[in-house]
Amino acid sequence: MDIYELMKQVNEWVKEILQDNYVGVYFHGSLRLGSFNPNKSDLDFIIVVKEKINSETKQFIWDKMLENEQLFLKKVLNLVLY
């Protein structure tokens, strides 16, 4: 899976989990600066929500990423929830 397909997949997962509380998933760092290297760059993204979410929902999102860790091979995930 290329990085753009992975970004799309992450966005779909988050949107499905948060439903009406979803505002967006925003990717930043080397990906947006044009220096992303799929062999060594991490994947930085911010999840923005309308209302504060509980720790269980945060954990569910993180678990969803870990369930699919094969998609993130050689990438470090930096997850920030706002």
Side-chain angles (χ1 to χ4, degrees), residues 16-45:
E16 180 181 309
I17 293 166
L18 296 174
Q19 299 178 5
D20 291 340
N21 201 19
Y22 170 88
V23 173
V25 176
Y26 301 95
F27 294 86
H28 61 101
S30 62
L31 191 62
R32 288 294 171 218
L33 294 173
S35 59
F36 182 81
N37 179 330
N39 294 316
K40 64 181 181 178
S41 294
D42 62 357
L43 185 59
D44 301 300
F45 57 95

Side-chain angles (χ1 to χ4, degrees), residues 21 51-60 81:
N21 201 19
E51 310 242 345
K52 184 176 179 177
I53 60 174
N54 60 37
S55 59
E56 291 83 13
T57 301
K58 290 178 189 178
Q59 187 63 50
F60 189 76
L81 289 159

Side-chain angles (χ1 to χ4, degrees), residues 3-14 22 24-33 36 42-48 65 72 75 77-80:
I3 193 62
Y4 297 105
E5 285 297 315
L6 181 56
M7 291 167 59
K8 182 178 176 183
Q9 186 65 60
V10 167
N11 188 56
E12 289 174 6
W13 289 330
V14 172
Y22 170 88
V25 176
Y26 301 95
F27 294 86
H28 61 101
S30 62
L31 191 62
R32 288 294 171 218
L33 294 173
F36 182 81
D42 62 357
L43 185 59
D44 301 300
F45 57 95
I46 297 169
I47 298 171
V48 180
M65 301 303 152
F72 298 101
K75 295 170 188 59
L77 292 175
N78 293 316
L79 173 63
V80 179

